[in-house]
Amino acid sequence: MFEPAITGSGVFTPALSISNDELVVAFNAYADRWNAEHAAGIKAGEVEAMAHSSSDFIVAASGIERRFVLDKSGILDPDVMHPWLPERDMDQPGFMAEMGVDACRKALDMAGVAAGDVDAVICAASNHERAYPAIAIEIQQELGIGGFGFDMNVACSSATFGIQAAADMVRSGSIRRALVVNPEICSAHLEWRDRDCHFIFGDVATAVLIERADDAKGPHFAIKSTRCATQFSDNIRNNNGFLRRTRPGHMDDRRDMLFMQNGRKVFKEVLPLVSNHIAEHMADTGVQADDLKRLWLHQANKTMNDYIGRKVLGRVPEAGEQPNILQDYANTSSAGSIIAFAKYSDDLSPGDTGLICSFGAGYSVGSVIVERAG
Ligand code: COA
């Protein structure tokens, strides 16, 4: 058995970002047009008018101030209200592969590892731009990696589930090194015309390199323990898939073909699930609240993270103990906790313990207990 460790991490951040104010202007223009088109029905009381969104609400309800996106023009055009990401030719890299490769290169550079020395690529994300061949295999080829690659999807928990899969393979000796990569194009599965959720998501890609702790060339994070759990729920759902072609009717206007959530229920049900999961994981591995120097939590909602931080530590976390990146990136699904980890982990000292935790649709929750070393 070998001890697995995270020796490198990388973040690809798109060049474009949208502030809440810009987003709200576009949404409100769309709502005004929609209301004008449906004026007769609204007047007759047959349809409900679409209410305006507001930046103040978005910050108060979520903590989100802006989000990075691959395309801005389509999202902010009231006639379009989705990103323009034209389909690429077969001989060009896919969007997910391209952003994933960038994040992987950064993780490899940080670890001082050549791509040729990696044995596996796991592309763990909440949506994949095609059914097959796997995005992971395309990333594998782009980077010149041997071995194998595969895609997996556990929605917002994909990164921690991917880390557990890779860590177990490194621990057993079946592979020596793996890249776990999370390219998230959330802008393409968000319904930007739905006031309740139009502000929630952004685009990003993250990657971590996992190898034997003994192979680490510099400071790293030994993976002490991982734990995953799932429990079926419809409260976060996206029905889009290949079966849509086999059903009658005009599919493009079906609301269930994009991200849908019952946000309030998610809030209420996921909080105890996550807090209990972390508490049990810590108890079973002998980690006390006082031992935890940092929490890198999934970034969906600031109030949720504040609550989980308080529950896990038994007190209000001090500044820096539970870094949020949500204000700048919004919810980036599986990538959120890894962005926080990549940006806020350098300053820990050898022997310091931290916890990465992601949670979301499924429901799903994954936690990774790490210790700074080297
Ligand atoms: N602008 C202005 N007001 C808005 C609005 C918007 N964009 N969206 C909703 N509102 C209003 C509603 O109309 C409602 O008004 P009312 O009380 O007069 O009826 C009020 O704000 C509360 O709406 P609600 O949807 O209950 O807000 P909330 O405080 O629960 O926040 C979420 C919404 C989605 C941010 C929050 O529930 C959440 O983050 N849940 C968890 C989500 C999550 O983690 N999902 C995981 C995805 S991976």
Side-chain angles (χ1 to χ4, degrees):
M1 297 284 253
F2 305 93
E3 182 165 64
I6 299 174
T7 58
S9 56
V11 180
F12 162 81
T13 302
L16 304 170
S17 82
I18 298 178
S19 68
N20 286 345
D21 285 349
E22 287 176 288
L23 187 65
V24 164
V25 166
F27 180 87
N28 290 349
Y30 167 78
D32 289 344
R33 285 179 196 199
W34 191 93
N35 289 341
E37 278 164 29
H38 296 83
I42 294 169
K43 202 170 168 203
E46 290 156 9
V47 236
E48 205 176 317
M50 205 176 277
H52 276 188
S53 183
S54 91
S55 297
D56 287 347
F57 171 83
I58 295 171
V59 175
S62 69
I64 296 165
E65 293 169 18
R66 63 192 74 85
R67 69 283 298 139
F68 291 96
V69 287
L70 292 184
D71 171 68
K72 197 167 161 168
S73 60
I75 295 168
L76 294 184
D77 182 343
D79 283 331
V80 180
M81 301 293 277
H82 61 73
W84 280 124
L85 300 172
E87 206 174 334
R88 289 184 165 175
D89 291 341
M90 293 270 206
D91 57 358
Q92 287 182 299
F95 287 104
M96 287 180 74
E98 194 170 72
M99 59 205 284
V101 161
D102 182 280
C104 286
R105 286 215 167 98
K106 287 170 179 155
L108 289 167
D109 281 354
M110 184 176 167
V113 167
D117 291 331
V118 175
D119 306 311
V121 178
I122 300 176
C123 177
S126 56
N127 276 275
H128 296 106
E129 74 184 78
R130 61 168 181 265
Y132 46 80
I135 313 291
I137 303 176
E138 192 181 357
I139 294 174
Q140 181 194 359
Q141 164 163 295
E142 290 284 320
L143 289 171
I145 290 173
F148 62 92
F150 62 86
D151 291 352
M152 55 181 278
N153 176 355
V154 203
C156 290
S157 298
S158 298
T160 48
F161 280 56
I163 289 172
Q164 168 159 301
D168 284 350
M169 287 189 257
V170 170
R171 188 178 288 110
S172 74
S174 68
I175 60 166
R176 203 160 176 136
R177 290 184 188 86
L179 278 162
V180 180
V181 52
N182 324 106
E184 292 286 9
I185 311 181
C186 300
S187 64
H189 58 89
L190 176 59
E191 177 52 276
W192 297 91
R193 297 171 299 182
D194 183 340
R195 172 176 174 265
D196 288 345
C197 68
H198 77 114
F199 53 89
I200 286 183
F201 286 117
D203 301 333
V204 78
T206 51
V208 291
L209 181 74
I210 296 173
E211 54 183 328
R212 294 179 187 174
D214 288 346
D215 284 345
K217 295 181 180 59
H220 56 276
F221 285 89
I223 298 176
K224 293 296 180 187
S225 178
T226 60
R227 181 167 295 186
C228 299
T230 51
Q231 180 187 304
F232 188 70
S233 167
D234 273 325
N235 285 325
I236 314 170
R237 188 161 175 144
N238 181 340
N239 282 331
N240 203 348
F242 67 91
L243 283 181
R244 64 184 296 191
R245 289 188 63 230
T246 68
R247 295 179 195 158
H250 183 63
M251 310 306 291
D252 286 341
D253 276 342
R254 271 183 50 175
R255 178 64 188 88
D256 63 326
M257 293 296 158
L258 290 164
F259 166 85
M260 298 191 301
Q261 76 166 354
N262 188 336
R264 277 283 160 112
K265 275 200 175 158
V266 172
F267 206 104
K268 277 205 187 117
E269 293 174 5
V270 167
L271 284 178
L273 195 71
V274 174
S275 324
N276 294 339
H277 175 94
I278 296 175
E280 281 169 23
H281 191 185
M282 285 168 60
D284 291 350
T285 44
V287 172
Q288 312 291 322
D290 288 349
D291 299 333
L292 283 179
K293 293 288 179 292
R294 190 131 323 155
L295 296 174
W296 300 282
L297 298 180
H298 174 49
Q299 306 280 316
N301 176 291
K302 184 171 181 304
T303 315
M304 265 173 131
N305 282 8
D306 289 348
Y307 178 95
I308 293 168
R310 268 201 315 277
K311 270 275 191 200
V312 172
L313 298 180
R315 58 180 168 77
V316 176
E318 282 170 28
E321 276 187 311
Q322 182 210 296
N324 282 330
I325 53 85
L326 184 71
Q327 62 283 0
D328 300 318
Y329 283 84
N331 183 344
T332 49
S333 195
S334 70
S337 57
I338 306 300
I339 305 174
F341 174 78
K343 290 191 183 286
Y344 297 99
S345 53
D346 265 8
D347 57 317
L348 293 191
S349 307
D352 283 352
T353 298
L355 180 130
I356 304 171
C357 181
S358 56
F359 45 86
Y363 295 134
S364 56
V365 50
S367 48
V368 180
I369 295 173
V370 294
E371 185 182 304
R372 182 73 164 171

